[in-house]
Amino acid sequence: MRPTFEVAAVLLLGCTCAPGQHPVRHNLVGEVRDDGGKPLAGAMVHFAATPVADLWVLRDHAAALAGAPEVETARTDPRGRFQLRVARPRGALWVVHAGLGALLVDPPPRAQLLCQPLAELRLPGGPATAHIMSAGGRCVLQTGRADAVRLPSGAFRVLITAPDRVAEYGLLLRAGETVTLPAAAPPRRLEVGTATTVTMTDWPAVTLPRPSPTSVLIPGGEVVVDLSLWVAASGCRLVARRWAGASAETLVPPTAHTRILKVFSAATGEPLRGARVLAVDATQDESAELRSIGDTDASGRAGFALPAPTASTQVVVSAPGYGTVVVPPPEDGSNEVRLPTAVAARQQVLDPTGGPATHLAVHIEHPGSWLLTQVAFADGGGMVRLELPRGTYGMRPWHPHYLNRARTLLVTGRDDPPPIRCEPGFRVHGRILLPDGKPARGAVVTLRDSTDARVRRRTAVCDRDGGFQISGLPEHARMRLSARLTQSDGRAFISEQIWVQPELEDVELRLKSEDPPLPGRR
């Protein structure tokens, strides 16, 4: 008999809560019915939150490397009802039971799941490990080794990994149908270091197979891969992002430059164990890519590794119950870091109509830096609970329909600040294409607002179809939009700058090859 798995668990790839913070929980209730409309008792319901995107690639990567999956489950009662307490209300709600299943992306607080017969997805080339991602919710469902997978109806992305092949697919499944995936283009072999771990950027929890100690397989076509290397000298992991083109090549992790820090409590002077040390590259339009991650030992010591020391790299240290410190470069300060103690703080956020703002993330920015200190979520009353040292912070409400601009948050440890009211936000979306008309996957789109200084420059990374979307923009603003793509072989593509206005048009830009630099100029 063919080995077949019914996928019944969802793994979240990134947990964006600050260390030591207990996130506010949201109620998610609903009922599950079979295809005849009768309540489905005893079914396991799963919910996984969607990782916070864009700037938060820093925290998504950190959680993925630290191995922090988060999934909530509940069993339906005899009347088919269930109740979940979730940290973030956006994500994927999933149930599989007795050959029936349903998937709901971004469910409402009261959800109804109507189960239908499962579809069967047959894998090409014999048994392999199939990684299934909900295309709408960015949540990964990971199966065991099989040659067929049973799924509910919906849109999915599938990554097949085996010792001799790797392939990626996008597909739409209908209830009860059987689909055999076609044979994929032959995978490409990349030569890498023996101690290097290689993952695809879109699948940070999936390690690509190694056909030999010094090579890995990646799907055909152009993909972005992450190389990570454990650096024993500093006790941390070095991360480097590389673009893999259509031809085979050698990917070599950069040489690691290490630095050792000592982390103490500012209040007691005692060394702090378990403090998180992150090194991030913040070079490109206020976007961040993780370069290194590590934790302090019992003596408060931790190191970080960098591809090369640059002025654009910022080192961030945080610990449960303490604040977050941005460490100056070696020439500007010592290797001792003293973390201030955090206090409890609350801030109520209202929607544009004056009611409580629910389903809302709030990003707290470090004083004097746009780097995130904390990500928190509003409860049903629009209240956000935080743990921060006393001081002044930047605070950005994040919601697709609200204006994403900075506010000032004063943390005193005593009185709650007055409520803040969000303003309506709008979006710009479209596609970026290569000169030959193919999608420009991985291109960075930059949006600059010349009419509203309250809204900072915004960026987005194009998906596999070349699509992008930037939300939370002011209405009636005229903005300059441009795109750029740099491949691993050094070839660069740029677009012209165009003026756009939120909500009025779909943008489509075609990149062109960047002119080579003149002799004597870099």
Side-chain angles (χ1 to χ4, degrees), residues 75-217:
R75 189 179 296 275
T76 57
D77 65 15
R79 298 174 62 181
R81 299 175 303 182
F82 66 89
Q83 178 174 355
L84 291 164
R85 298 278 288 172
V86 300
R88 288 195 296 281
R90 298 194 63 189
L93 188 64
W94 169 272
V95 61
V96 165
H97 184 74
L100 302 175
L103 172 68
L104 184 60
V105 176
D106 291 343
R110 294 186 175 274
Q112 289 190 340
L113 291 169
L114 179 61
C115 293
Q116 296 179 298
L118 295 174
E120 182 172 321
L121 181 64
R122 295 179 179 175
L123 312 184
T129 300
H131 309 273
I132 314 293
M133 177 184 288
S134 165
R138 294 182 58 235
C139 300
V140 170
L141 300 77
Q142 189 170 8
T143 73
R145 183 174 172 82
D147 59 7
V149 180
R150 302 187 71 191
L151 297 166
S153 58
F156 298 93
R157 290 174 56 196
V158 181
L159 178 66
I160 306 296
T161 61
D164 59 343
R165 65 190 189 279
V166 173
E168 189 178 19
Y169 303 85
L171 70 156
L172 178 65
L173 290 178
R174 296 176 177 82
E177 71 176 348
T178 298
V179 174
T180 300
L181 291 175
R188 289 177 292 120
R189 181 177 298 197
L190 297 181
E191 300 298 324
V192 296
T194 56
T196 307
T197 300
V198 182
T199 65
M200 291 172 58
T201 296
D202 291 345
W203 303 84
V206 179
T207 301
L208 295 176
R210 285 179 177 267
S212 74
T214 59
S215 67
V216 297
L217 292 179

